[in-house]
Amino acid sequence: MAAPYRLAVAAAMLLSLPLAASAAESLPTPAHQARLEGGLQTALALNRLLNPYKIEVRVEGKTAYLQGEVENQVERHLAEQVALATRGIDSVENQLRVNAELVEQPLERRAYAQRLEDATLASVIQARLLWSTHTQAVPIEVESRDGVVTLRGQVNSAEAKELAGVLAGSTEGVFLVNNLISLSAADMAKLREEQQQVRIDPQLSDAWINDKIQTSFMYSRNLDGPNIKVATQDGVVRLSGEVVSSEQKTIAVEVARQIRGVRGVDADMLKIASKVSG
């Protein structure tokens, strides 16, 4: 259950960032409370464990009231944690009821939620392919179904095909990749020429590069993105922070290196955590 909890809390915090009232405000306005309710309702709807259930949200002051039914105590507690993670909410009146008979009822809603999750996952992979130097110019079709991703299209090198599979397979939420991308010998020379022209990007800003590297870290299941700091100057990326193994360090360097506009990666300040003997 650790991963859904982290995702739920992260979603609630991100969604609530614009909702923070200034310190000078002693009493939240009705408009502010409505924004809090909307942000919390969206966070609950985005959570894969909670979106099948109809959870009513009301905010009074800094207290959130949750009403409705969920299937078990785990989901009841998770809803409360999502609410507490929402900025502007200090306490929760958890009035959710546990109804074990709901096990059969949310199937249709779960199917709808799964379709939304599959569409989101496919879009995330498409974005990562567009950010990559090797795959940004290639039309690759991405299909996701229950965490199984299928890639189709045509590329001009085995490296591009392999990289597309690696990017898809390392994305959070992907369980299996069917890499059906094909290589066309007839078009290889033409595609190579076109790729060389596309690679001559207008100078991508350091901020753009920073953002895409950090987002790629976040979407990679093999990396602890928040513990890796990224700084880019004139296309040269410097990584710092801490990872748990040399394998993670290698992955971080490779993920950063394949982002468009990157001229080099310096990972000297990215340290490997030392093991503490118990």
Side-chain angles (χ1 to χ4, degrees):
M1 293 299 296
Y5 270 89
R6 290 199 302 271
L7 290 173
V9 172
M13 293 181 68
L14 288 172
L15 288 164
S16 62
L17 285 176
L19 309 177
S22 66
E25 291 178 331
S26 57
L27 291 175
T29 65
H32 176 67
Q33 290 186 180
R35 288 196 298 271
L36 279 175
E37 290 177 0
L40 176 52
Q41 194 73 66
T42 303
L44 293 169
L46 288 176
N47 184 269
R48 68 177 67 181
L49 294 180
L50 299 175
N51 57 28
Y53 305 107
K54 184 178 181 180
I55 299 177
E56 297 179 3
V57 173
R58 187 175 85 258
V59 175
E60 293 182 4
K62 295 186 177 181
T63 301
Y65 294 81
L66 304 179
Q67 294 180 321
E69 292 184 336
V70 292
E71 182 186 330
N72 54 53
Q73 286 289 350
V74 172
E75 292 162 344
R76 184 178 186 274
H77 181 64
L78 175 59
E80 183 173 330
Q81 293 303 307
V82 171
L84 287 173
T86 302
R87 186 168 299 181
I89 293 177
D90 293 340
S91 61
V92 177
E93 286 291 333
N94 192 343
Q95 300 170 2
L96 290 172
R97 299 182 301 276
V98 174
N99 182 358
E101 295 180 0
L102 290 178
V103 66
E104 299 296 337
Q105 297 180 19
L107 292 180
E108 183 176 345
R109 289 186 179 180
R110 288 188 189 276
Y112 173 71
Q114 185 62 53
R115 290 197 299 271
L116 290 181
E117 186 171 336
D118 285 335
T120 301
L121 186 57
S123 296
V124 168
I125 296 171
Q126 285 278 19
R128 297 189 70 188
L129 293 172
L130 287 174
W131 299 339
S132 171
T133 301
H134 299 288
T135 56
Q136 56 110 357
V138 182
I140 297 177
E141 177 187 343
V142 181
E143 178 186 348
S144 174
R145 180 170 297 180
D146 296 332
V148 178
V149 172
T150 301
L151 304 178
R152 295 183 177 88
Q154 199 170 78
V155 296
N156 68 339
S157 70
E159 180 185 20
K161 175 178 179 176
E162 181 181 4
L163 178 61
V166 169
L167 287 176
S170 65
T171 301
E172 185 69 38
V174 175
F175 302 110
L176 178 67
V177 177
N178 295 321
N179 193 342
L180 303 182
I181 296 173
S182 61
L183 300 175
S184 172
D187 294 338
M188 189 170 294
K190 179 181 178 181
L191 287 175
R192 186 180 295 113
E193 181 180 351
E194 291 176 353
Q195 187 180 51
Q196 289 299 323
Q197 293 174 353
V198 174
R199 281 185 178 178
I200 307 175
D201 276 325
Q203 184 60 43
L204 296 171
S205 71
D206 290 336
W208 187 94
I209 295 171
N210 249 36
D211 177 69
K212 301 317 175 201
I213 293 175
Q214 289 173 330
T215 306
S216 292
F217 284 168
M218 181 179 69
Y219 287 141
S220 178
R221 68 156 61 94
N222 299 316
L223 293 174
D224 189 2
N227 286 334
I228 303 176
K229 308 302 179 187
V230 182
T232 305
Q233 184 174 3
D234 297 329
V236 177
V237 177
R238 290 177 174 81
L239 304 179
S240 60
E242 192 173 78
V243 292
V244 299
S245 66
S246 59
E247 289 79 8
Q248 276 200 358
K249 182 173 182 177
T250 299
I251 292 172
V253 171
E254 289 305 314
V255 168
R257 181 176 289 137
Q258 57 85 27
I259 294 295
R260 291 164 50 196
V262 172
R263 298 170 55 197
V265 179
D266 179 3
D268 287 348
M269 298 303 295
L270 185 59
K271 304 301 182 183
I272 299 172
S274 57
K275 295 183 179 179
V276 179
S277 57

